[in-house]
Amino acid sequence: MNLKPPGILDKNPEAVNRHRSQSFHGKSSLGFTLIELLAVIAIIGILSSILMVVLSKARSSAEGVKCVSNLRQLGIITSLYMSDHQQMYPEANNWGYQLLPYLSPGDPGTLESGIEYYSTAIPEDSILFCPSVAPDTLDGNTIKYRYGSGIIAYGINATIVASYTNSRKTPMSLEASNSKLKPSKLMLYGEANLLNLFWGSDERCATGRHGAGMNVIFCDFHVERITDSVSDPRFQNLYFGYDRF
């Protein structure tokens, strides 16, 4: 015997059906429809893309900062070398191993020691390596001077500053050679694929590693980012140290 007192739902079958329908729809509202799920996936994809772009820019910025730091340190050891060599700049082709005594105390700074040093050096641990470049694109210079392949990512101004042993340059001799020349406007090192940096459209100049242009250290040892292309007159004037073009 059913002793349950009759309720409103028992007396009204339509109310019972409406109650069941509301209960059913109430349960389904707790989950996701297919459209809602696809919308969530799309939003996650968009956010992931934005995050990847942000991280990529942050990484590129960090690598640019490291490159600038490398050039500053390169300027310091170059000034130490000059202090020990009557203010003469390092030589074209040879500078990569001539500076080794200041990178690796006890190194004699010869071509032979340079070949040995760079053959075992880890690129990422060297101040001569730019973190934005692939090591296999750094080819040294000629076969004879390819001691820095895969590591040296900077080149010296081989036309104006770094001459060969028979005509070594000093800051004083450079300024005496041209009254218009200013060390603060004369490139010393810049980003490059080979040991020597040349002006114009030469492939030795490495632009675009950190966006447009390249990082450069000048003969007064300040570092600057040059945004002009290597064929631009302003870039070429900085290479020569005065308004030549």
Side-chain angles (χ1 to χ4, degrees):
M1 178 181 294
N2 185 3
L3 300 178
K4 180 181 177 182
I8 297 176
L9 294 180
D10 295 325
K11 295 180 179 180
N12 191 341
E14 291 183 3
V16 174
N17 292 334
R18 187 163 52 251
H19 175 74
R20 290 174 178 172
S21 176
Q22 289 174 348
S23 299
F24 174 78
H25 289 295
K27 290 180 181 178
S28 65
S29 65
L30 297 177
F32 290 100
T33 65
L34 179 59
I35 294 176
E36 290 172 334
L37 184 60
L38 291 175
V40 170
I41 293 174
I43 292 172
I44 292 175
I46 293 172
L47 292 176
S48 297
S49 299
I50 295 173
L51 182 61
M52 290 296 291
V53 171
V54 172
L55 291 176
S56 177
K57 289 183 178 179
R59 178 180 178 182
S60 178
S61 177
E63 290 175 345
V65 171
K66 180 67 166 63
C67 179
V68 168
S69 175
N70 286 348
L71 284 170
R72 288 200 177 103
Q73 293 179 75
L74 180 55
I76 291 172
I77 64 173
T78 298
S79 67
L80 293 174
Y81 171 90
M82 293 172 66
S83 296
D84 292 338
H85 293 83
Q86 298 158 337
Q87 292 303 309
M88 291 187 293
Y89 290 102
E91 302 167 10
N93 292 326
N94 305 329
W95 68 272
Y97 65 78
Q98 288 177 334
L99 297 180
L100 281 182
Y102 308 93
L103 284 173
S104 178
D107 190 290
T110 63
L111 176 58
E112 291 72 21
S113 70
I115 293 173
E116 181 179 356
Y117 175 85
Y118 289 110
S119 65
T120 58
I122 300 173
E124 291 76 12
D125 293 341
S126 175
I127 67 166
L128 301 180
F129 180 76
C130 173
S132 293
V133 65
D136 58 3
T137 64
L138 305 175
D139 297 329
N141 196 17
T142 62
I143 293 177
K144 177 181 178 181
Y145 296 104
R146 202 163 286 166
Y147 54 83
S149 296
I151 294 182
I152 299 179
Y154 305 103
I156 199 166
N157 185 331
T159 303
I160 307 302
V161 180
S163 299
Y164 301 93
T165 52
N166 58 346
S167 57
R168 302 287 298 276
K169 302 289 184 63
T170 67
M172 289 185 63
S173 68
L174 281 175
E175 293 188 75
S177 66
N178 189 331
S179 59
K180 297 180 180 180
L181 189 149
K182 300 183 183 304
S184 62
K185 297 295 183 182
L186 177 61
M187 294 182 184
L188 177 54
Y189 298 101
E191 294 183 79
N193 299 315
L194 300 170
L195 292 169
N196 297 333
L197 183 71
F198 289 105
W199 66 284
S201 58
D202 194 286
E203 64 181 4
R204 296 167 186 260
C205 299
T207 58
R209 288 179 182 170
H210 316 286
M214 60 189 288
N215 292 325
V216 171
I217 184 167
F218 290 83
C219 285
D220 65 346
F221 301 117
H222 87 275
V223 179
E224 188 177 331
R225 179 159 190 77
I226 306 302
T227 57
D228 307 288
S229 66
V230 294
S231 59
D232 189 278
R234 182 174 179 271
F235 181 97
Q236 297 174 28
N237 287 335
L238 293 174
Y239 182 87
F240 285 95
Y242 66 100
D243 292 338
R244 177 175 176 178
F245 299 96

